[in-house]
Amino acid sequence: MTHPLNPIDEVFLAMDREPTLVQGQFLRFRGEAPSLDKLHDHLAERLPGLPRLTHGTVTGRRGGFRAPSPGFDLRDHVEEMKLPAGTPLDEVLTALVRRPLSESGPLWSIHLVHGYADGEYAVCYRVHHGLEDGMGAAHVAAVLFGDTPQPGRTPRDGRRAGPLFTAGPGELLHGALSVGAGMVRGLAPGRIWPSTYPGPENLAMCSTSATRRELSELGRKFGGTVNDAFLMALWGALSAWSTAGDGRRDARSVFRASPVPVRMPLSTRQAGEEDAVGNHLATAVVTLPGQELPPAEAFAQLVGSTQRMRSNGLRPASRALVALLPAALIRWTVRRLLSPRSSPLYASNYLLPGSLSFCGDPVVDAIPLGVLLPGNGLSVTLLSCGSRVQVSFLYDRRLPDAQRLAALWREALDELNAMDARPAA
């Protein structure tokens, strides 16, 4: 059975097939590493619940579509990666994001990673963004490593199964205007941000951890959400990082010079559409407060900004526009909205079920592998799994001191947690 690609899928697939647009999750399990054959047999058992993994992309006269990949062999997509004992986790993640995907069949792979630490191993699922968004990748992890196999419920046409219109006329109009404002921002930015196009050899990752409770309590203290706490810690990390910038050619100086716009994907899926294939996203820009503001005032400003973003009708309007407008117009619009000229970094936030396991070994942590949009030198992703949260930065290693960003995010979170919620008098 074939499924048409939606225009957002086509844009991501046309951008680049280098590792910069490959996302995924690094699932850490407590236990002794299994054999590659054992992992293969487990995946083969769960594969019927994920027919999307056996489908590749094809371009025809009527556009792109997904179809069963001829000669699909699961072994082409399952690899083993044994590392020296004591290899730092960030080096493990960096090695993974630099690896190409399988050249045969669909653009995804699963890696069994072990040797780097005693008593644990990891399984890493990586997939090109043109095939899945973050929530789609989370659904794959749930089917592969959930308590019981789940039957596939992929919609017959590859699209969402819920209603087209999920808001009233006023909210849809407001959302359409927000889409238009984003296009203008992409065409006529107020500031030219530094652009980079890193090859695999210049990709690197750093990560840090927190608890969901830390972020939830911090967000509530300032009238916001977990996402607001995530972004405020990012504000603190960028502030500390950019302070060391010296000279016009140093990207850190540009980040310090004015408030930083951050591009965030917003899911347009409804309840029950977790298994819808492809990308079902809107995109919004949240501008982090200026670095000169006191933290409490900056937090209040950020919360107001994200509340407007959530209530401006962008999600339901984008859902309807993708379905109703000509595909060529949607592709043109998405390319404008993803322009690196309008924001220098990409930030995403999603969650996994907290009860994942493999052959009785529980998941102890899940680290996200984000994407770098063409032209961006930096992205940050937050992934929640049960009570744990992991934050990872994917970056062009030519950015000065970018390897410190994860540690700076953790330090900023600690400082914010110790802060009084009341603005300074």
Side-chain angles (χ1 to χ4, degrees), residues 23-361:
Q23 62 170 330
Q25 304 110 19
F26 183 85
L27 304 179
R28 299 170 65 190
F29 294 89
R30 183 180 293 116
E32 295 302 316
S35 67
L36 193 63
D37 286 340
K38 187 173 183 179
L39 175 61
H40 174 272
D41 292 345
H42 173 86
L43 297 175
E45 177 187 341
R46 299 294 177 102
L47 200 59
L50 291 166
R52 67 177 72 182
L53 296 186
T54 64
H55 285 51
T57 58
V58 181
T59 301
R61 292 183 179 180
R62 297 184 179 181
F65 57 94
R66 305 169 195 271
S69 182
F72 174 82
D73 187 342
L74 178 58
R75 292 191 182 276
D76 292 337
H77 299 268
V78 184
E79 303 177 15
E80 186 170 15
M81 189 174 178
K82 186 174 182 179
L83 296 166
T87 303
L89 190 56
D90 287 348
E91 290 186 17
V92 177
L93 298 171
T94 294
L96 277 165
V97 298
R98 292 179 177 179
R99 290 175 78 98
L101 293 175
S102 170
E103 296 182 358
S104 173
L107 295 172
W108 65 270
S109 62
I110 285 181
H111 306 266
L112 172 63
V113 187
H114 61 99
Y116 62 94
D118 291 334
E120 82 163 61
Y121 61 95
V123 177
C124 183
Y125 171 62
R126 300 173 64 227
V127 61
H128 194 283
H129 206 325
L131 301 187
E132 283 177 357
D133 55 27
M135 288 191 68
H139 173 72
V140 170
V143 174
L144 293 181
F145 300 107
D147 293 334
T148 56
Q150 301 179 29
R153 289 195 306 109
T154 303
R156 289 184 60 189
D157 62 355
R159 300 181 181 180
R160 296 165 296 204
L164 174 60
F165 298 108
T166 57
E171 189 175 351
L172 291 172
L173 176 60
H174 195 184
L177 292 175
S178 297
V179 173
M183 291 170 57
V184 171
R185 188 183 294 111
L187 292 170
R191 166 175 288 274
I192 301 298
W193 296 93
S195 296
T196 67
Y197 295 85
E201 72 282 359
N202 283 320
L203 286 178
M205 269 191 70
C206 58
S207 64
T208 189
S209 62
T211 66
R212 184 86 179 176
R213 182 176 179 178
E214 281 181 281
L215 293 172
S216 178
E217 291 183 350
L218 176 60
R220 283 200 304 269
K221 184 165 69 172
F222 290 89
T225 64
V226 166
N227 190 60
D228 293 319
F230 163 53
L231 290 175
M232 267 306 294
L234 177 61
W235 173 83
L238 292 176
S239 298
W241 177 64
S242 63
T243 298
D246 181 22
R248 295 180 62 185
R249 293 183 178 273
D250 192 325
R252 293 172 297 180
S253 299
V254 180
F255 276 80
R256 186 177 66 240
S258 65
V260 178
V262 178
R263 184 162 299 286
M264 298 198 75
L266 305 175
S267 177
T268 59
R269 297 169 188 255
Q270 296 291 297
E273 295 180 342
E274 296 83 4
D275 59 352
V277 297
N279 287 269
H280 303 281
L281 300 169
T283 179
V285 171
V286 176
T287 300
L288 300 182
Q291 296 178 15
E292 73 283 354
L293 293 178
E297 186 178 337
F299 213 141
Q301 187 180 109
L302 176 68
V303 169
S305 176
T306 57
Q307 286 176 345
R308 288 190 296 273
M309 176 188 73
R310 290 192 296 271
S311 63
N312 66 2
L314 182 60
R315 294 177 196 252
S318 297
R319 179 184 176 97
L321 290 173
V322 169
L324 295 175
L325 294 181
L329 179 57
I330 293 297
R331 288 193 297 268
W332 185 87
T333 301
V334 171
R335 286 193 291 267
R336 302 281 102 47
L337 293 175
L338 296 180
S339 168
R341 291 164 55 86
S342 61
S343 59
L345 66 97
Y346 190 64
S348 56
N349 170 10
Y350 66 104
L351 57 87
L352 290 176
S355 58
L356 304 181
S357 64
F358 172 53
C359 295
D361 297 337

Side-chain angles (χ1 to χ4, degrees), residues 397-419:
R397 65 185 180 89
R398 293 170 295 183
L399 291 178
D401 282 338
Q403 74 279 3
R404 297 178 55 230
L405 281 165
L408 291 173
W409 185 93
R410 180 66 249 191
E411 291 173 11
L413 181 64
D414 290 337
E415 292 172 3
L416 290 165
N417 277 324
M419 189 178 68

